[in-house]
Amino acid sequence: MTPARAVARIPCAARFLVAATAAILLAGLILPTRALRSSTPAVGDYVNFEGLQVRPLAMTPDGSKLLAVNTPDSRLEIFAPGGGSLTSLGEIPVGLEPVAVAALHDTIAWVVNHVSDDVSIVNLNTRSVLATLRVGDEPTDVLFAGTPRRAFVCVSGEDAVKIYGLANPSAPTLDLVRPIFGRHPRALAAGGGEVYVGVLDAGNRTTCLPADVVQSGGGPPPPSPPRSLQSPAPAVGLIVQKVGASWVDERPASSKTWNSVIPFDLPDQDVHVLDAGTGALLRTVSDVGTNLFNLAVGPSGSVYVTHTEAFNRTRFEPNLRGRFLHNRIARIAPGGVSPDALWHLNSHIVYDTIPGPPEEKALSLSQPMDLVVNAAETRIYVAALGSDRVGVVNAASGAVLNRIPSSPAPSPARSGPTGLFLDEARGQLYVMNRFSSSIGIVNVASETCVAEIPMRFDPSPPEILEGRRFLYDGSLSDHGDLACASCHIGGNLDNIGWDLGNPRGSLEPVPPGQPLPIPPFDPMKGPMTTQSLRGLRDTSPFHWRGDRLDFTRFNPAFVGLMGNPDTLSSADMQRFSDFVMTMVYPPNPNQNLDRTWPDPPAPAPSPTRGKVEFDTVPHDAGVCTNCHSFPTGTNRTIIPAQALQESQAFKVPHVRNMYQKTGFRRAPGPQKRGFGFLHDGSIDDLFAFLNLPVFQFANDQQRRDLEAFLLSFDTGLGPAVGRQLTVNATTKGLAANAAALDSLCLQADLTDCDLVARAYVDGSRRSYAYTGGGLFQSDYDPEGSLQSAALRSLPDAPGETVTFLGVPRGSGIRMGIDRDRDGYKDRWELALGSDPADPASIPAITAVAAPASTPAARLLQNAPNPFNPATAIGYEVERAGPVKLHVFDVSGRMVRTLVDRHVPAGSHVVRWDGRDDRGRSLGSGRYFYRLRTGEKILTREMTLVR
């Protein structure tokens, strides 16, 4: 497949060039362009999803516990708040990339795991997982509302809110799926019997007209400033915006409209209002902003929304320099369908002046994330991620009253505030600092940060900790209000297009190493959609045109686009590059757990059949995979403009995030978004792209199959990464759970993931790492290893659970049994008197007898074995204590309790007659028997032959 829209018009000579290019590729004569160093050293045990926290702080209703998600360490931390202090009460391992938490009541909380696609329902007293609720692709937020009370979960990847009944808090029931007409709903708030849903990629009623439509409509506006080059500018598309009833470009609406060529509408439904009792859609609110981050409801019923508003209808980098978007708060009056106020958080900026005065930058608030409103509704507190400040905003006028540092001693390392919780009873505001992995405590009376409490542990490697600030830091722009992350939100994208060409610019050289002759790139490149910064490793050269040899070549944007007086130093730009290269895509939600694709019969689209089309069937000058090669989906080659019948050359684009770009149809009716596929976003969907005349298909079924495969293209991580399974005493023996665990073990054996397990049994928390062949290694040396079926069968009593979690390849040991990477297993390290969350804390001794609280034990092989009808099982305990000896079948179902009592020290023998607890004879086969005493668990296998 060719990578650009106008390939449909390729003439014979150009088709010959495409065919020649494909032949060279097939012959293996084209070598990928090799960039300068633009990647971090391989980090073997940590994968950076760069999860953007949504609601990382919460408090139990009684005010006794502050809950905080530790996103990089995949844990929920629990604190007891005091005056200017927080005391750790413990932590709970949860799923991958926890981004939000809400307390159901004083004992139970729900934690939203963005990459695991689920919610961990946790017991705050036992500090354990009660259940795992799989909710769908990339959830972002949760709240409890309505009568009877129900859980509302925002499922971003599915454009939906899912509502769950809470009759059994450990086993919620799905009551309703409420579709949201908008891409990537992100945040929730509730008040007055209503639930409010904010859409991250809300858009601003802009779309892109294709180049041929622009030319037939009279051409684009004359460039301003005037073009300096004498050669004609490339024929490119044009970004237009719906203003009132008209589609207009940057010219006054009275002079030109594009209504006749745009059949669709962009209703711009930014906030959806649901009935908290029924979940019914009551109304929508439009024209709030381009990208919405969070919502809060004041006592009056007014809804406040943090967001940014993009000015992408304006063309050219010189016109957008230092002024391409505003950071704002919207206020929506009760019952409103549009904001009654839009407050610019940086109204002090004089945008016409570059460079601005230093004091201007110090007052700016960049990237407003979370917000809270005080009980008197006189103050709004706003976490400004890119400014290391908490803005204090007058809730009546929108005036910024103060800017509070989010840590007591700001440093160049930055703190990165992303979440807030207002504790008015104690006069404190808690601030989640994402970059420094800490919680700042602000005294609301003095409006000063009085303390900073570190999270327990951050496993992020130095490349992330040292380079992250350059993505988000607003101080690297002239006015202090813009950053790379203003458009590359969370390192991803804003889902709109920009024309960042420069009419006064000069031709740009083509990166070296390209196999075909490419003329220099024109500075007026036309509209291009924002590209994700995820998954860039091994895909250079960068940008849609491939005009950046490596990531360090984006350094001029700090001056040309953000208006900074200077570029980053070479060392800092390399740190930025190293950080960017750590970011990855999450698993593709359209794949099966085993990394294959669904294969429904026709006429349903089949990704499996589509892969055959992609790999083996020529639909153009060759097969798709010649250019969109595995594993990244691009061979990194720049295709000449003539071959594409475009006005400029383009690099073969990757296809790993196609599934995130749906929601646009160039057809009559309302659309969720105005940008689709390819460089300018003017192709609405992949089916339309595959209908271009250049492609040869026998029928639409083949097109639908190929489209389905492209939407299922592997992102580099298998779907087993993040997948969780929680079993308890009731569910451990279910065939579905046994099969699910077997599948996870198989994926780990196939190296598609690592696998860890976290258990809460006998009042203790335990962890395990899968080592292959069905064995899990314990984090407690005397326990050794357990078979997967034996581990699954551990829960015996109410509240006991085992949670299995697929994690990225290479991270199993760290996430399972050696959290701080010091070579000592976590629970064993505790027994030896050191801290498993501190790599500097190492046991003074490395080999000791088992702690006094843990009786030494031996479990002997049964005799006879095989047996019929009975066998003897011997075991030994060094000290008196409680002992459990159970028999399990191969599915992990407990069939017989042989011992469950206090046992004196010494040797013991118990007989088993091959019957279950109800006295029924069991059939032939393999069985496991397991001894539990103190911290020690021993398992052996035996065979019954009838």
Side-chain angles (χ1 to χ4, degrees), residues 361 366-367 386-387 414 472-477 479-483:
K361 181 180 293 190
S366 176
Q367 301 153 75
S387 305
R414 317 296 287 181
Y472 300 94
D473 192 350
S475 71
L476 298 177
S477 64
H479 303 298
D481 62 330
L482 304 173

Side-chain angles (χ1 to χ4, degrees), residues 460-598:
S460 305
E463 292 82 8
I464 294 173
L465 299 176
E466 295 173 5
R468 176 180 274 137
R469 65 164 287 219
F470 301 109
L471 175 62
Y472 300 94
D473 192 350
S475 71
L476 298 177
S477 64
D478 179 69
H479 303 298
D481 62 330
L482 304 173
C484 299
S486 297
C487 297
H488 299 282
I489 299 170
N492 202 16
L493 30 87
D494 55 7
N495 275 291
I496 57 175
W498 298 82
D499 188 338
L500 300 179
N502 182 2
R504 306 301 296 172
S506 56
L507 297 175
E508 300 178 39
V510 176
Q514 288 298 318
L516 296 172
I518 307 290
F521 292 106
D522 195 281
M524 290 177 63
K525 53 192 173 184
M528 301 207 176
T529 57
T530 304
Q531 289 187 300
S532 177
L533 300 184
R534 298 174 179 178
L536 292 189
R537 182 192 292 276
D538 298 327
T539 64
S540 60
F542 298 127
H543 241 197
W544 282 107
R545 300 190 301 183
D547 51 16
R548 299 290 187 271
L549 177 61
D550 58 47
F551 190 79
T552 65
R553 308 307 173 95
F554 288 99
N555 204 349
F558 284 98
V559 176
L561 183 59
M562 292 197 290
N564 205 43
D566 199 358
T567 57
L568 300 185
S569 69
S570 296
D572 280 349
M573 191 63 201
Q574 189 62 57
R575 292 186 182 97
F576 187 18
S577 176
D578 288 346
F579 161 73
V580 167
M581 295 303 146
T582 69
M583 291 191 290
V584 302
Y585 289 107
N588 192 311
N590 298 322
Q591 290 185 345
N592 296 323
L593 181 65
D594 62 359
R595 220 166 181 172
T596 61
W597 299 271

Side-chain angles (χ1 to χ4, degrees), residues 36-366:
L36 300 178
R37 186 170 80 87
S38 186
S39 61
T40 181
V43 180
D45 70 351
Y46 188 86
V47 168
N48 182 21
F49 296 101
E50 198 59 16
L52 196 59
Q53 295 170 335
V54 179
R55 207 171 301 277
L57 295 172
M59 187 171 282
T60 53
D62 65 1
S64 67
K65 301 180 185 72
L66 179 71
L67 312 179
V69 297
N70 186 335
T71 301
D73 206 26
S74 297
R75 280 171 164 79
L76 175 71
E77 300 201 21
I78 309 169
F79 297 92
S85 67
L86 293 171
T87 302
S88 176
L89 297 178
E91 51 193 345
I92 306 171
V94 291
L96 288 187
E97 293 294 283
V99 295
V101 59
L104 175 61
H105 49 66
D106 296 334
T107 302
I108 293 178
W110 286 34
V111 181
V112 177
N113 304 307
H114 187 61
V115 172
S116 284
D117 297 341
D118 59 30
V119 170
S120 295
I121 301 174
V122 301
N123 185 312
L124 301 174
N125 291 340
T126 62
R127 303 195 301 281
S128 63
V129 174
L130 289 175
T132 297
L133 180 66
R134 189 160 183 81
V135 296
D137 184 41
E138 298 188 5
T140 51
D141 202 4
V142 60
L143 61 74
F144 305 101
T147 304
R149 205 172 183 208
R150 294 191 293 175
F152 291 71
V153 180
C154 193
V155 185
S156 175
E158 298 182 9
D159 295 345
V161 171
K162 297 186 178 181
I163 305 173
Y164 293 86
L166 299 172
N168 181 352
S170 296
T173 56
L174 180 60
D175 288 351
L176 178 67
V177 177
R178 171 58 58 194
I180 299 299
F181 191 81
R183 285 302 279 132
H184 303 125
R186 168 181 162 85
L188 303 170
E194 296 179 337
V195 172
Y196 306 94
V197 187
V199 177
L200 174 62
D201 297 322
N204 58 355
R205 301 185 195 265
T206 58
T207 189
C208 183
L209 298 176
D212 55 349
V213 173
V214 174
Q215 296 304 313
S216 63
S224 177
R227 179 173 170 84
S228 60
L229 295 176
Q230 296 303 309
S231 58
V236 297
L238 181 66
I239 294 175
V240 296
Q241 187 172 34
K242 183 78 171 290
V243 178
S246 296
W247 288 96
V248 298
D249 54 37
E250 62 186 21
R251 292 172 285 199
S254 59
S255 63
K256 175 69 176 178
T257 67
W258 297 90
N259 294 356
S260 63
V261 295
I262 301 178
F264 55 88
D265 188 26
L266 295 175
D268 194 40
Q269 297 176 354
D270 298 353
V271 176
H272 293 238
V273 185
L274 311 181
D275 186 287
T278 65
L281 178 65
L282 299 176
R283 63 188 180 279
T284 61
V285 182
S286 299
D287 301 307
V288 176
T290 307
N291 295 107
L292 278 56
F293 296 111
N294 227 318
L295 310 93
V297 182
S300 69
S302 292
V303 181
Y304 302 89
V305 187
T306 53
H307 66 277
T308 54
E309 177 69 357
F311 305 128
N312 60 319
R313 192 177 87 196
T314 299
R315 294 186 302 163
F316 307 136
E317 185 179 72
N319 300 323
L320 291 164
R321 186 184 182 207
R323 59 193 309 165
F324 55 83
L325 61 72
H326 283 172
N327 301 276
R328 306 192 310 193
I329 293 178
R331 184 181 65 194
I332 305 167
V337 295
S338 62
D340 68 326
L342 291 169
W343 294 326
H344 181 16
L345 292 173
N346 298 302
S347 58
H348 65 281
I349 293 176
V350 180
Y351 285 100
D352 291 336
T353 303
I354 291 181
E359 58 268 20
E360 182 182 74
K361 181 180 293 190
L363 295 176
S364 295
L365 298 174
S366 176

Side-chain angles (χ1 to χ4, degrees), residues 689-740:
F689 174 64
L690 297 174
N691 264 289
L692 295 176
V694 69
F695 297 116
Q696 294 84 46
F697 286 89
N699 49 56
D700 281 350
Q701 182 68 55
Q702 291 179 343
R703 292 186 178 90
R704 290 296 186 194
D705 290 343
L706 183 51
E707 177 187 43
F709 171 70
L710 292 172
L711 295 175
S712 306
F713 198 92
D714 196 279
T715 64
L717 288 176
V721 172
R723 185 66 62 94
Q724 290 201 101
L725 169 68
T726 296
V727 298
N728 57 34
T730 302
T731 63
K732 65 183 181 180
L734 296 178
N737 287 338

Side-chain angles (χ1 to χ4, degrees), residues 96 116 118 132 134 592-595 718-727 736-758 769-776 788 792 802-809:
L96 288 187
S116 284
D118 59 30
T132 297
R134 189 160 183 81
N592 296 323
L593 181 65
D594 62 359
R595 220 166 181 172
V721 172
R723 185 66 62 94
Q724 290 201 101
L725 169 68
T726 296
V727 298
N737 287 338
L741 178 55
D742 288 345
S743 295
L744 285 173
C745 290
L746 177 59
Q747 294 310 298
D749 288 333
L750 294 173
T751 71
D752 279 343
C753 70
D754 280 0
L755 186 59
V756 301
R758 288 84 172 256
Y770 185 72
T771 55
L775 286 177
F776 283 82
S788 60
R792 177 166 50 85
V802 179
T803 298
F804 300 90
L805 169 64
V807 299
R809 186 69 180 167

Side-chain angles (χ1 to χ4, degrees), residues 635-649:
N635 65 359
R636 303 161 61 176
T637 301
I638 300 174
I639 307 296
Q642 181 185 9
L644 300 173
Q645 197 61 16
E646 282 277 6
S647 59
Q648 54 191 327

